[in-house]
Amino acid sequence: MLKRLREWSFPNSNAADDREVFVEEYRRKVRRLALERTGEPFLNATQDHAAVIIENMFRSADHEVCIFTQHLAPGIYGREAGVEWAKIFLADDQSHRLRVVMKKGELPLLETNPLYQAIRYAPAFELRVIDDEFHQQFPYRFLVADSDSYRFEPDHTKCEAVAAFGSERAKHLQVVFDSIWICGEAVNLDKTGHEQPFIAA
């Protein structure tokens, strides 16, 4: 099925406008599923698809978004639309919260990461790291929002994942995330020294 999805996503034509058409079709599908919240699982097999899902997770979340990642890959988390919705999510309500756990050895990569640079001073953004050896024990990566929506990537070496909005399965991923979170080392984001308050553009 993932092979068919990849073929559907990228037809033989390499034209940029063709690619954009297919991405927009996928965006409409994901937005519909986000609004319906039936728990129906759906697949993604490209970075374009993954970025659309991330964008809609931030757009749809009411309370909290939790991410277990290697380094917030810019091709997925750093797209303009996703970054903007993350900023809106964090600025929209003081109760909103974003928690991220990542690989300690890849912290330097955040200095050029679009998402991190956009939200690093947000009061409700928290970042923790775990040792590289411990991190390597987990073959998967995932995002969970409000304990009822998720994107789960079973093999981090591939960009193939399943996602759903309004799914009971997200509760299990929330438990997994929280168990990793408590093992993480908090990163001092030095927000007190930042002169400008965090606001969404």
Side-chain angles (χ1 to χ4, degrees):
M1 184 176 292
L2 285 168
K3 181 180 179 181
R4 292 198 300 273
L5 182 60
R6 285 193 292 269
E7 291 171 347
W8 175 83
S9 304
F10 295 98
N12 292 330
S13 170
N14 291 321
D17 55 345
D18 286 347
R19 173 181 174 181
E20 187 61 30
V21 167
F22 279 87
V23 171
E24 285 305 314
E25 287 182 5
Y26 188 78
R27 178 174 279 110
R28 285 193 291 271
K29 172 187 175 180
V30 173
R31 188 61 193 148
R32 173 179 60 79
L33 292 170
L35 292 171
E36 293 175 351
R37 304 183 70 78
T38 62
E40 175 187 347
F42 60 97
L43 300 174
N44 85 247
T46 70
Q47 285 195 350
D48 287 333
H49 288 169
V52 168
I53 294 171
I54 299 307
E55 164 191 332
N56 278 275
M57 288 291 175
F58 281 115
R59 187 175 180 179
S60 302
D62 289 325
H63 304 291
E64 181 178 53
V65 175
C66 300
I67 302 171
F68 177 60
T69 180
Q70 188 160 327
H71 57 256
L72 290 173
I76 297 175
Y77 290 99
R79 305 286 183 97
E80 183 178 357
V83 171
E84 289 305 311
W85 279 111
K87 290 167 63 179
I88 291 170
F89 168 74
L90 287 170
D92 188 51
D93 192 303
Q94 291 184 352
S95 68
H96 287 182
R97 187 182 185 195
L98 171 59
R99 293 189 288 158
V100 174
V101 177
M102 65 171 286
K103 192 174 183 179
K104 187 174 184 178
E106 303 204 2
L107 263 177
L109 295 178
L110 294 185
E111 291 307 312
T112 57
N113 185 284
L115 177 59
Y116 176 74
Q117 292 301 322
I119 65 172
R120 63 185 300 177
Y121 297 115
F125 170 51
E126 297 178 75
L127 175 65
R128 292 190 180 185
V129 294
I130 55 177
D131 290 337
D132 293 12
E133 290 184 5
F134 183 37
H135 194 282
Q136 289 169 1
Q137 295 179 25
F138 303 97
Y140 48 80
R141 307 288 183 264
F142 64 90
L143 176 153
V144 60
D146 294 343
S147 297
D148 78 342
S149 300
Y150 68 90
R151 177 184 179 271
F152 180 77
E153 196 173 276
D155 182 348
H156 73 90
T157 65
K158 303 176 182 178
C159 192
E160 298 177 348
V162 61
F165 294 90
S167 171
E168 287 293 315
R169 294 182 179 182
K171 292 181 180 178
H172 171 69
L173 286 175
Q174 187 66 58
V175 171
V176 174
F177 179 86
D178 289 338
S179 68
I180 299 173
W181 177 260
I182 62 175
C183 297
E185 174 187 349
V187 175
N188 182 6
L189 301 177
D190 194 24
K191 300 177 185 183
T192 57
H194 186 57
E195 296 179 357
Q196 299 296 326
F198 172 80
I199 57 173

